[in-house]
Amino acid sequence: MQQMGKIIISIDGWSSTGKSTLAKQLAKALGYIYVDSGAMYRAITLYFLRNHVDWTNKKEVKRALQEINIEFQNNLKTETSTIFLNGENVEYVIRDLVVAEKVSEIAAIKEVREFAVAQQKNMGKQKGIIMDGRDIGTVVFPRAELKIFMTADSSVRVERRFKELFEKNPNITIEEVKSNLEMRDYIDSHREISPLKKAKDSLLLDNTNLTEREQFQKAMEWVQKKISG
Ligand code: CDP
C-alpha cells in the first residue's frame, strides 16, 4: 500500500551536476530510499567490459543481461548507497574512467534501457523514493510529484569531477575528465531512446554558485510545498 504523504522525487540533469549529492541529502532528511540509476548503467557496462560482451550484437546483449543481477543497499545514516553486481560490491570500481568512457554508448542500447527501466519503475511502487539519472522525470516516473533538473557551468562541473577522480587516481588529467563529460553529455542528449532533456514540469536547479547546503535548502522548500499541498 502507498504510504501517506510519501512522494516520488526525480532528479535529472547533466553529468557531474551534483545530482547524487542532493539526492542523498534529501533521502536522509526525508527517510526515503535513494536510487542511483546511473550506477545501474555503469554496473552493466562493467559486466560487459569484464566479460567481453560484444554490445553491437543484440543476441549477445540479451544473453548477457539475463546473467546480470543488480541490487542496492542504502545506509541513511552514512548517506551512502552501495550497488551490488551479482553479489559483488562494485560501488567504487564503476566510478572509474574506463567505465565512464563506455557507459553512454551502452546506456543508449534499447535492450539495456528496457532492462534497467523495468527495475527502476518497480522500485517506485511504494513511493518514498528519490531517483537520479537522465530520464527519470521523463520516462521512469513521468508522474513523479517533484521533478528537479540540475545544471551548472561546465567548467565547474569538470573541476568537481576532476577532484573526485583525482583522489582515487592521481594520474588522471583535467583534459581526460573534460572530454569524457562532453562526450557523455552529447551522447546522452542526442540518443534516440529516452534522451536527456528537461521535463516540462521540472524545476530547474542551477548550482554553479550554490553551496551544498544552499541547494539542499532550496530543494527542501520545494519538497515541503509538494508534501503539504
Ligand atoms: O555521475 P554522472 O552524472 O556523471 O553519471 P551517472 O549518473 O553515474 O550516469 C552515467 C551514465 O549512465 C550517463 O552518462 C548516461 O549515459 C547513463 N544514464 C542513463 O542513460 N540514464 C540514466 N537514468 C542514468 C544514467
Side-chain angles (χ1 to χ4, degrees), residues 12-20 36-39 41-42 95 100 103-105 107-108 113 120 132-136 140 161 164 181 184-185 187-188 191 194:
D12 290 303
W14 303 98
S15 50
S16 306
T17 43
K19 298 182 295 293
S20 67
D36 175 355
S37 71
Y41 295 100
R42 286 174 180 266
R95 309 290 159 193
V103 64
S104 289
E105 198 181 320
R113 298 212 72 80
Q120 291 156 5
D132 75 332
R134 302 291 186 284
D135 60 339
I136 311 307
V140 179
R161 185 51 55 96
E164 226 173 83
L181 292 197
R184 284 199 288 126
D185 282 349
I187 300 177
D188 293 346
R191 69 184 173 217
S194 312

Side-chain angles (χ1 to χ4, degrees), residues 31-61:
Y32 278 20
I33 289 170
Y34 162 57
V35 178
D36 175 355
S37 71
M40 296 178 76
Y41 295 100
R42 286 174 180 266
I44 294 166
T45 301
L46 179 68
Y47 184 91
F48 283 11
L49 289 172
R50 278 180 174 174
N51 294 281
H52 308 289
V53 175
D54 171 9
W55 58 80
T56 61
N57 178 328
K58 297 248 175 235
K59 267 193 189 159
E60 266 203 48
V61 168

Side-chain angles (χ1 to χ4, degrees), residues 158-171:
V158 170
E159 212 160 290
R160 283 181 191 154
R161 185 51 55 96
F162 175 69
K163 269 190 198 150
E164 226 173 83
L165 291 171
F166 185 79
E167 273 176 31
K168 292 185 190 172
N169 172 13
N171 293 321

